[in-house]
Amino acid sequence: MRLFVSEGAPGSLPVLAAAGRAQCRAELLISTVGPEECVVPFLTRPKVPVLQLDSGNYLFSTSAICRYFFLLSGWEQDDLTNQWLEWEATELQPALSAALYYLVVQGKKGEDVFSPVRRALTHIDHSLSRRSCPFLAGETESLADIVLWGALYPLLQDPAYLPEELGALHSWFQTLSSQEPCQRAAETVLKQQGVLALRPYLQKQPQPSSLEGRAVSNEPEEEELATLSEEEIAMAVAAWEKGLESLPPVQPQQNPVLPVAGERNVLITSALPYVNNVPHLGNIIGCVLSADVFARITQDIFQRLVARGFVLQDTVEQLRCEHCARFLADRFVEGMCPFCGYEEARGDQCDKCGKLINAIELKKPQCKVCRSCPVVKSSQHLFLDLPKLGKPLEEWLEKTLPGSDWTPNARFIIRSWIRDGLKPRCITRDLKWGTPVPLVGFEDKVFYVWFDATIGYLSITANYTDQWEKWWKNPEQVSLYQFMAKDNVPFHGLVFPCSALGAEDNYTLVSHLIATEYLNYENGKFSKSRGVGVFGDMAQDTGIPADIWRFYLLYIRPEGQDSAFSWTDMLLKNNSELLNNLGNFINRAGMFVSKFFGGFVPEMVLTSDDRRLLAHVTLELQHYHQLLEKVRIRDALRSILTISRHGNQYIQVNEPWKRIKGSEADRQRAGTVTGLAVNIAALLSIMLQPYMPTVSATIQAQLQLPPPACSILLTNFLCTLPAGHQIGTVSPLFQKLENDQIESLRQRFSGGQAKASPKPAAVETMTTAGPQQIQVLMDEVTKQGNIVRELKAQKADKNQVAAEVAKLLDLKKQLALTEGKPLETPKGKKKK
């Protein structure tokens, strides 16, 4: 093997460290080449690092080279490492490129450099802290550690960009940097120049988009448009011209809905919203918003498990509150986590470190009802014999996982449970409510909720139709999708399948287990008791429409990592993505039809540019379907917004409001642009149906979209509104969210503010927000300041300047409040 690296090429750092870590230097020839040297004969541009294998093949990707070295050393791939590598490529690298460009090429310092990577570094620190492990994927350094260390080293070698408050990140970075393979890699690539060694490399890279300092662009990526082939364009035009005639006839909805032989049959469940209070936004995005179901009964499966010897009896020590005279359910116990010391751990799991807990292991336990200290008592209980079911479980997983869409976190969680050894799982509780246990001697007990709740999906379907077995005992024809947050994965991916396998009754088992990460609130967690965060019964009282909530929660859906609800971000996404992008385009397209063509869609004579737009929209639509097929709900939503941006840019470039006043050719061009634009709006209304059903129905009513198009999620961009089609009355779809409105809501749901002492009249303050919100507002202030300066330079109308200055002052006020700074009354003015 021969590895080609170059001084000053960042990708050379992790591959050299990986080579040293894997101890393969004896059979590896390392060649240091110049940045302009082409080492691969069939490439037209220089490329390093490159690994030439003994077979003559080449590896170009930094992660692929590092992975190859680790595989040589006997490393077995795992899902958590793969998640980190994906995150490094999609999230870390764009932010890091911006930071290094600021530092090395533009010579900036401090916050200008740190700001782009703040969120990424915080994520790494949070992950390390929560897992209580020294490395990203376990107790020893992994491929993920080497790749992330190599990416971050040029920046974090400067202590100024390695904050002490990120203690876990600091310790992780210093540990890796002190190891010999990493030290040798740094010396080879950076020599004595440090980060300045990267300047020749970075100067040749395109300026990162995050440096351009502009709002969301309506301009399509030129690179994407350039990749369209003539065949793709021709196919898109052919599909467009077929129009509504190409749609299959609308099939009447059967009742009840049952699987059909020979067709694709999908059964969807969501984790039952079993929470000890009103569901908060995190509960909603993890299960309920991603699918809709509810109810419970389970005794048949239990009896089959007993008959087959998969149920054990044993004595269990439990916490009993003598004051309340009852054994305490897990949710009624709180105490200090025995693993990480978190003082508000639950009786079954710690929210901080994520580890499962036996309630009697809690330190300083308290009954959450009366706050007295419970005592340990013994009680006889039933257990599901998971070790006895381990072999059929693993055989099922081996058959299911390769062709499934289990999310990486779900795969990792289940594999870790199996790797650590399955243990009997208690399935009964000493409670007054719940599903009774149909066994002599256990009449005073009920089933543990996560034994019978998952089986409750069958009960739900049985309440819907007496033909429920066509769904639940039909694994050959039914694909089962289950949605949940990651803390429910063991019950759906292990306990429920083991119960079904042990019953030996041909049950349909989960083929696609979709688990989200956690949604946090601002800079912390949701807490009903402390009044922190938005809960289901509160969201409807905010005055913000349900579809806006749906949009924002799905926009930030924690698909690959934890995410956080932010009021400031919600305002910006509403005002930029919905109001200025999506709503602006759809409203303009419809208004042009009404204003210029009397409400009738005009004739469309397509030019080559129009045909390219058709093809580009078609590809984005197909990408949308591919993402939904893989249950990447958040990313599919971005495809909708991308198409809308293309539509806005199309209108801006062609200016139909000007052409309509020109020659006959200009008026015809205005008609084509308007007709194509309103058809894009119709397509967007169909794509929006899963995300914003009310908004979707409103658009379709305004455009008078034909019923066949409304009932089918199109896979091709068709002309659904042909020339001569009459649309209805067009009106705005979205309203602007104002800063004072959002600030009021932030205060309302921040917890504790209502009890705080009143502030002096001349001073306004608020709880300091996170760095992400602050950076967003700083960017907005900068943009608005540029607008004001340009207007003044152009000597624009005073009223226009005054209006923009007012916006700037409002943004500055919001920034100051967000940073926790007081706002003093301006000198010379007094508040009455």
Side-chain angles (χ1 to χ4, degrees):
M1 294 184 297
R2 187 175 184 184
L3 176 64
F4 297 92
V5 296
S6 177
E7 295 176 12
S12 300
L13 271 167
V15 298
L16 286 170
R21 166 66 174 77
Q23 298 180 342
C24 57
R25 282 178 171 257
E27 55 212 60
L28 177 68
L29 174 62
I30 299 177
S31 300
T32 301
V33 298
E36 300 298 328
E37 189 172 343
C38 288
V39 296
V40 183
F42 51 82
L43 289 183
T44 58
R45 293 187 299 174
K47 173 68 178 175
V48 284
V50 168
L51 179 64
Q52 183 180 12
L53 304 178
D54 293 337
S55 63
N57 294 325
Y58 293 89
L59 295 180
F60 307 107
S61 162
T62 297
S63 293
I65 297 172
C66 293
R67 184 189 299 271
Y68 186 79
F69 287 149
F70 267 73
L71 289 172
L72 287 179
S73 66
W75 170 73
E76 294 184 4
Q77 299 192 50
D78 63 273
D79 287 327
L80 183 57
T81 296
N82 290 334
Q83 287 181 56
W84 275 114
L85 294 179
E86 180 180 354
W87 178 84
E88 187 270 344
T90 60
E91 302 287 343
L92 177 61
Q93 280 297 340
L96 191 60
S97 296
L100 290 172
Y101 196 94
Y102 270 131
L103 177 65
V104 178
V105 179
Q106 294 191 345
K108 295 187 177 181
K109 300 287 185 181
E111 186 62 25
D112 286 338
V113 175
F114 184 64
S115 177
V117 294
R118 184 194 302 273
R119 182 180 180 185
L121 298 184
T122 302
H123 171 65
I124 299 173
D125 180 77
H126 176 69
S127 299
L128 289 166
S129 302
R130 188 180 61 198
R131 286 174 49 80
S132 301
C133 292
F135 298 100
L136 295 173
E139 296 297 329
T140 59
E141 69 270 23
S142 68
L143 170 61
D145 295 289
I146 295 298
V147 171
L148 266 70
W149 172 86
L152 290 168
Y153 183 81
L155 181 67
L156 297 192
Q157 63 170 330
D158 185 341
Y161 304 114
L162 186 58
E164 289 288 347
E165 60 266 25
L166 300 182
L169 171 67
H170 195 279
S171 176
W172 170 84
F173 181 77
Q174 296 294 355
T175 298
L176 286 166
S177 298
S178 65
Q179 295 182 0
E180 185 180 354
C182 295
Q183 288 181 341
R184 287 203 305 264
E187 291 169 2
T188 301
V189 177
L190 301 183
K191 297 295 184 182
Q192 302 300 318
Q193 301 180 64
V195 73
L196 294 180
L198 306 183
R199 179 175 289 166
Y201 172 85
L202 292 172
Q203 285 176 330
K204 293 172 184 170
Q205 305 306 308
Q207 179 171 295
S209 57
S210 58
L211 299 180
E212 296 173 9
R214 62 171 187 259
V216 176
S217 171
N218 290 327
E219 184 177 357
E221 291 289 338
E222 195 64 36
E223 204 171 52
E224 292 181 48
L225 291 173
T227 61
L228 295 175
S229 68
E230 291 301 321
E231 181 182 9
E232 288 170 326
I233 295 172
M235 291 175 63
V237 173
W240 161 268
E241 291 176 344
K242 289 180 181 178
L244 291 173
E245 295 179 2
S246 64
L247 295 178
V250 178
Q251 298 293 331
Q253 181 71 55
Q254 60 171 317
N255 188 25
V257 177
L258 297 172
V260 178
E263 295 187 8
R264 186 185 183 202
N265 303 293
V266 175
L267 176 61
I268 300 175
T269 75
S270 74
L272 303 181
Y274 178 77
V275 292
N276 61 1
N277 219 310
V278 178
H280 59 63
L281 299 181
N283 304 132
I284 292 170
I285 190 60
C287 55
V288 180
L289 185 54
S290 303
D292 307 309
V293 263
F294 198 84
R296 186 174 295 118
I297 65 177
T298 61
Q299 293 166 335
D300 177 62
I301 288 181
F302 170 72
Q303 295 284 21
R304 296 181 69 91
L305 289 169
V306 172
R308 285 158 178 76
F310 293 125
V311 175
L312 306 173
Q313 297 184 21
D314 201 356
T315 300
V316 175
E317 291 187 329
Q318 295 177 254
L319 291 179
R320 176 180 170 86
C321 178
E322 298 295 343
H323 183 269
C324 297
R326 63 176 178 177
F327 285 100
L328 296 177
D330 295 336
R331 67 191 182 95
F332 288 124
V333 183
E334 187 176 86
M336 181 183 294
C337 174
F339 301 103
C340 70
Y342 180 57
E343 294 187 351
E344 296 180 14
R346 303 194 312 267
D348 58 348
Q349 188 173 11
C350 174
D351 281 339
K352 184 175 182 181
C353 69
K355 292 188 177 179
L356 296 178
I357 299 172
N358 187 327
I360 63 171
E361 298 174 336
L362 286 172
K363 299 178 181 178
K364 301 178 182 177
Q366 281 189 334
C367 169
K368 292 188 70 174
V369 177
C370 68
R371 288 299 172 187
S372 64
C373 181
V375 296
V376 177
K377 296 277 187 177
S378 297
S379 180
Q380 192 77 359
H381 280 282
L382 298 173
F383 289 75
L384 182 63
D385 193 349
L386 290 180
K388 199 170 183 179
L389 289 160
K391 185 176 180 181
L393 174 72
E394 293 195 50
E395 290 174 350
W396 167 70
L397 287 171
E398 288 177 7
K399 182 176 67 174
T400 300
L401 288 180
S404 75
D405 285 324
W406 282 45
T407 50
N409 56 356
R411 295 170 185 261
F412 175 77
I413 291 169
I414 294 303
R415 283 175 177 166
S416 66
W417 272 60
I418 294 174
R419 183 189 64 237
D420 295 341
L422 296 177
K423 301 175 180 62
R425 182 80 180 177
C426 186
I427 59 173
T428 54
R429 288 291 187 269
D430 288 297
L431 299 173
K432 300 297 183 184
W433 53 268
T435 305
V437 177
L439 199 65
V440 176
F442 291 85
E443 296 87 351
D444 60 339
K445 301 184 189 298
V446 298
F447 285 115
Y448 177 42
V449 67
W450 278 120
F451 173 73
D452 75 322
T454 46
I455 299 172
Y457 298 130
L458 284 65
S459 307
I460 297 165
T461 314
N463 286 334
Y464 169 67
T465 173
D466 58 5
Q467 301 180 68
W468 64 273
E469 291 186 350
K470 291 185 178 180
W471 285 110
W472 283 104
K473 293 186 179 181
N474 192 2
E476 295 80 17
Q477 295 185 354
V478 173
S479 293
L480 174 58
Y481 285 72
Q482 296 197 293
F483 290 82
M484 68 210 66
K486 62 183 176 183
D487 56 342
N488 284 333
V489 167
F491 306 107
H492 290 79
L494 193 146
V495 177
F496 184 30
C498 280
S499 301
L501 289 167
E504 297 177 352
D505 205 14
N506 196 39
Y507 281 107
T508 303
L509 298 179
V510 59
S511 49
H512 307 276
L513 200 156
I514 314 301
T516 61
E517 300 291 321
Y518 292 135
L519 177 71
N520 296 314
Y521 181 77
E522 296 280 345
N523 294 320
K525 294 182 179 296
F526 289 86
S527 172
K528 185 75 171 181
S529 61
R530 294 192 296 272
V532 175
V534 183
F535 289 71
D537 59 340
M538 302 172 180
Q540 61 186 350
D541 297 327
T542 60
I544 298 174
D547 268 19
I548 306 301
W549 283 107
R550 291 177 66 97
F551 165 81
Y552 182 63
L553 290 177
L554 291 167
Y555 191 96
I556 61 171
R557 186 174 186 263
E559 294 187 355
Q561 64 188 67
D562 291 356
S563 62
F565 174 90
S566 160
W567 285 107
T568 299
D569 189 50
M570 185 180 190
L571 176 147
L572 293 174
K573 294 300 184 295
N574 178 84
N575 294 352
S576 61
E577 292 290 11
L578 291 182
L579 188 64
N580 295 339
N581 176 15
L582 184 66
N584 178 59
F585 168 68
I586 293 173
N587 189 253
R588 292 172 84 189
M591 288 299 296
F592 290 158
V593 175
S594 298
K595 184 176 180 180
F596 301 148
F597 301 97
F600 293 90
V601 176
E603 292 286 342
M604 289 163 276
V605 181
L606 302 182
T607 66
S608 60
D609 286 342
D610 300 332
R611 294 187 178 94
R612 287 178 64 81
L613 178 62
L614 289 180
H616 194 68
V617 171
T618 296
L619 287 179
E620 196 65 51
L621 173 61
Q622 292 170 352
H623 185 50
Y624 164 89
H625 280 283
Q626 291 166 359
L627 291 169
L628 282 183
E629 187 68 26
K630 292 294 184 182
V631 203
R632 292 173 58 183
I633 299 173
R634 179 195 62 195
D635 293 338
L637 177 57
R638 282 154 168 77
S639 289
I640 298 174
L641 300 172
T642 297
I643 290 176
S644 179
R645 278 193 283 275
H646 293 330
N648 269 315
Q649 177 67 10
Y650 178 65
I651 287 177
Q652 285 300 114
V653 168
N654 287 281
E655 299 179 321
W657 62 92
K658 290 183 180 179
R659 292 182 182 271
I660 197 66
K661 302 174 184 178
S663 64
E664 181 62 31
D666 281 338
R667 289 195 295 273
Q668 184 184 71
R669 183 62 187 151
T672 298
V673 172
T674 299
L676 185 51
V678 79
N679 269 280
I680 293 176
L683 172 67
L684 290 170
S685 76
I686 300 168
M687 296 174 72
L688 275 171
Q689 280 179 340
Y691 294 92
M692 306 179 78
T694 302
V695 169
S696 170
T698 300
I699 300 169
Q700 292 176 5
Q702 291 182 6
L703 300 182
Q704 298 290 306
L705 192 64
C710 298
S711 59
I712 297 175
L713 193 55
L714 302 176
T715 54
N716 287 301
F717 181 26
L718 309 178
C719 181
T720 55
L721 303 180
H725 173 86
Q726 185 174 11
I727 70 170
T729 303
V730 177
S731 58
L733 297 169
F734 306 108
Q735 291 185 344
K736 183 180 181 182
L737 291 177
E738 301 293 346
N739 287 326
D740 55 354
Q741 173 190 5
I742 289 300
E743 178 55 30
S744 174
L745 291 170
R746 188 206 308 276
Q747 294 284 356
R748 175 179 165 189
F749 296 110
S750 61
Q753 273 74 3
K755 300 178 182 178
S757 57
K759 302 292 180 183
V763 180
E764 298 179 59
T765 63
M766 65 159 284
T767 304
T768 303
Q772 181 183 358
Q773 296 97 301
I774 293 174
Q775 183 58 43
V776 168
L777 280 170
M778 289 175 67
D779 292 342
E780 290 297 306
V781 168
T782 300
K783 295 171 193 173
Q784 188 63 24
N786 290 335
I787 292 173
V788 170
R789 280 189 288 274
E790 290 176 8
L791 288 174
K792 288 181 176 179
Q794 297 168 5
K795 297 184 179 179
D797 179 76
K798 290 183 178 180
N799 292 331
Q800 184 182 4
V801 174
E804 297 300 330
V805 169
K807 292 180 184 178
L808 176 60
L809 293 175
D810 187 57
L811 283 169
K812 287 184 175 180
K813 174 183 175 182
Q814 183 66 27
L815 176 60
L817 289 171
T818 306
E819 292 178 317
K821 297 177 181 176
L823 279 181
E824 302 291 344
T825 303
K827 293 181 179 180
K829 296 183 180 180
K830 295 182 179 179
K831 287 189 175 181
K832 295 182 180 179

